[in-house]
Amino acid sequence: MTSAQLPGDPPGGRRAVAVWGLGVAVYFVAITYRTSLGVAGIDAAERFHINASALSTFSILQVLVYAGMQIPVGLMVDRLGTRKVLMLGVVLFTLGQFGFAFSHSYAMALGSRALLGCGDAMTFISVLRLGSRWFPARRGPLIAQIAALFGMAGNLVSTLVIARSLHGVGWTTTFAGSALGGLAVFVLVLFFLKDHPKGFEPAPATHLGADYVRRQIADAWREPGTRLGMWVHFTTQFPAMVFLLLWGMPFLVEAEGLSRATAGQLLTLVVLSNMAVGLVYGQVIARHHAARAPLALGTVGATALLWGTVLVWPSAHAPMWLLVVLCVVLGACGPASMIGFDFARPANPPERIGTASGIVNMGGFTASMTTLLAVGVLLDLTGQNFRIAFASVFVLQALGISQILRLRGRAHRRERERVVASRVEAVHVPA
């Protein structure tokens, strides 16, 4: 992954790929743990004797903790560096997965998922920071999409391995066995991960306690690109997240009448589509920066169209071809959400990337949390009517689109001003 680079850019190269790969491995394990409940939702309802609202609380609490941790984690990454934050994250999400394995009460299981969400929250922002420290800036969009691609491979472990293991060796063995992956990546990070290449150390920053925190958050939020990135992430990510994290399997089995095996294959299709589209979006945005907003809005439009078509289909069950197309389109939601970081990255200096990324990352997970709750409550109120419950998606999409359209022009103007200023500074040589 070497390329032409600007003066002062990190060098990239094989060592960068190796170090960055360790961070991606941590993210891969975190995604496996995060999405493991998506294939175990029906088993969890039976194990803990809970209804739809209580089941949705698992994912809501996990996502609530994740979203609430984004700005604190961004500040931690900017201040402490990637390695320390990743190590702490691995410890927390591994303990959470072990705790979930041995949970026999609803309360203990909730606590374990909250702990898992806290550790998970520390992974992706750290990986983004690691990529920006080891690779040239022009590689940023592609590096971020590839990181997300490998992270989504962790979802494949959930849909292909954990789902089968649950019915083969049982709950405790499945979740405890998967937690061993956390121990493995902890050792790798401890001994081999470095925050930045030698000679590319960031300038020392003065951290003045609460003043530093307020200044970092305020300066990041002041940039229209940060706010636009947050709303892009908000609008694009949550339909697929809700589908994969919890409600996809119950919808396909209970509302569409599919077998668990077939439903699992469709969830796998979402993940495979995500990985394929991520590569395409990363290449397109790296070459054509102006494609960011059209890709994001186009993905939202396609998702709304397919989601609505499935919900209003006249017969009791949507045809298989339509469910397949829906899952392929849902696969584009993850790569589209990554575009949010591509708006925030050029709007903020390197020492504020972690904080800005945390703000962006809050968007999609806030929308996911809201929709997870809405679907669970509406299912209980309507007697398990998925068509009514899933219609809640359109409310958040409409809100997000209105904010994207409001901020888009302002963010683009500000970004052009920054580019011009950077070029002037680069060619100016004092006499």
Side-chain angles (χ1 to χ4, degrees):
M1 289 189 180
T2 57
S3 63
Q5 59 194 68
L6 297 172
D9 259 352
R14 293 182 180 179
R15 178 165 171 75
V17 172
V19 174
W20 171 78
L22 292 180
V24 172
V26 174
Y27 182 53
F28 170 88
V29 175
I31 290 289
T32 302
Y33 296 174
R34 180 200 300 174
T35 58
S36 58
L37 183 61
V39 297
I42 297 174
D43 300 84
E46 295 173 355
R47 181 179 178 89
F48 303 113
H49 310 290
I50 53 178
N51 61 14
S53 295
L55 179 61
S56 66
T57 303
F58 277 123
S59 296
I60 292 167
L61 178 61
Q62 182 180 334
V63 174
L64 175 63
V65 172
Y66 186 103
M69 286 291 294
Q70 288 310 294
I71 292 178
V73 168
L75 292 164
M76 289 170 62
V77 170
D78 286 338
R79 184 166 185 173
L80 302 177
T82 301
R83 181 172 175 271
K84 292 178 180 178
V85 177
L86 274 181
M87 288 175 62
L88 178 58
V90 173
V91 170
L92 293 176
F93 68 58
T94 302
L95 288 175
Q97 190 77 341
F98 269 122
F100 199 58
F102 294 101
S103 293
H104 292 284
S105 69
Y106 180 57
M108 181 178 177
L110 277 177
S112 297
R113 295 307 287 187
L115 193 63
L116 191 156
C118 186
D120 182 16
M122 299 181 180
T123 58
F124 189 62
I125 293 177
S126 297
V127 173
L128 288 179
R129 164 88 170 205
L130 201 63
S132 68
R133 288 298 186 189
W134 282 88
F135 292 97
R138 65 185 297 267
R139 291 294 188 186
L142 184 59
I143 291 299
Q145 289 285 1
I146 292 175
L149 183 153
F150 280 104
M152 285 305 296
N155 213 321
L156 285 178
V157 174
S158 295
T159 57
L160 296 178
V161 179
I162 292 181
R164 295 180 183 179
S165 178
L166 276 170
H167 301 290
V169 298
W171 181 281
T172 300
T173 303
T174 295
F175 283 101
S178 67
L180 297 176
L183 298 179
V185 294
F186 178 83
V187 173
L188 292 174
V189 171
L190 177 63
F191 288 105
F192 299 108
L193 192 136
K194 304 293 182 183
D195 283 340
H196 44 73
K198 187 176 181 180
F200 288 84
E201 294 81 1
T206 57
H207 304 298
L208 303 176
D211 288 338
Y212 164 76
V213 171
R214 284 193 295 268
R215 187 172 63 252
Q216 284 284 94
I217 296 173
D219 289 348
W221 182 256
R222 193 176 294 116
E223 293 292 342
T226 303
R227 301 198 302 278
L228 176 60
M230 185 194 73
W231 283 109
V232 167
H233 200 269
F234 177 100
T235 314
T236 54
Q237 187 206 44
F238 78 96
M241 179 66 68
V242 168
F243 202 78
L244 289 172
L245 200 59
L246 184 60
W247 291 122
M249 179 70 77
F251 169 71
L252 294 172
V253 172
E254 297 172 10
E256 296 298 326
L258 302 180
S259 67
R260 285 197 183 193
T262 303
Q265 290 171 354
L266 287 175
L267 294 180
T268 302
L269 178 61
V270 177
V271 178
L272 293 175
S273 173
N274 183 297
M275 297 169 71
V277 174
L279 284 176
V280 175
Y281 278 19
Q283 292 282 1
V284 170
I285 295 170
R287 289 173 168 77
H288 308 285
H289 226 42
R292 292 172 298 173
L295 281 177
L297 291 171
T299 302
V300 174
T303 303
L305 176 63
L306 268 298
W307 196 278
T309 303
V310 169
L311 296 186
V312 302
W313 195 260
S315 59
H317 298 150
M320 178 57 72
W321 67 264
L322 182 57
L323 295 176
V324 168
V325 175
L326 171 65
C327 289
V328 170
V329 172
L330 285 176
C333 290
S337 72
M338 296 298 299
I339 296 172
F341 297 102
D342 293 323
F343 282 112
R345 189 182 300 111
N348 293 273
E351 62 272 13
R352 207 167 61 219
I353 288 296
T355 304
S357 297
I359 293 173
V360 171
N361 216 20
M362 280 184 63
F365 288 94
T366 301
S368 297
M369 176 184 60
T370 304
T371 309
L372 285 166
L373 175 60
V375 170
V377 170
L378 289 171
L379 284 174
D380 285 337
L381 291 176
T382 60
Q384 303 296 303
N385 189 321
F386 274 94
R387 293 193 177 191
I388 294 176
F390 272 24
S392 59
V393 166
F394 302 120
V395 177
L396 273 73
Q397 285 185 320
L399 172 62
I401 289 173
S402 68
Q403 295 300 314
I404 292 172
L405 295 177
R406 183 178 69 87
L407 290 165
R408 180 182 175 184
R410 196 182 314 171
H412 285 173
R413 287 192 298 272
R414 175 67 169 153
E415 191 171 304
R416 284 196 298 269
E417 291 170 1
R418 281 185 169 274
V419 170
V420 171
S422 297
R423 288 174 176 170
V424 170
E425 184 177 334
V427 300
H428 176 67
V429 180

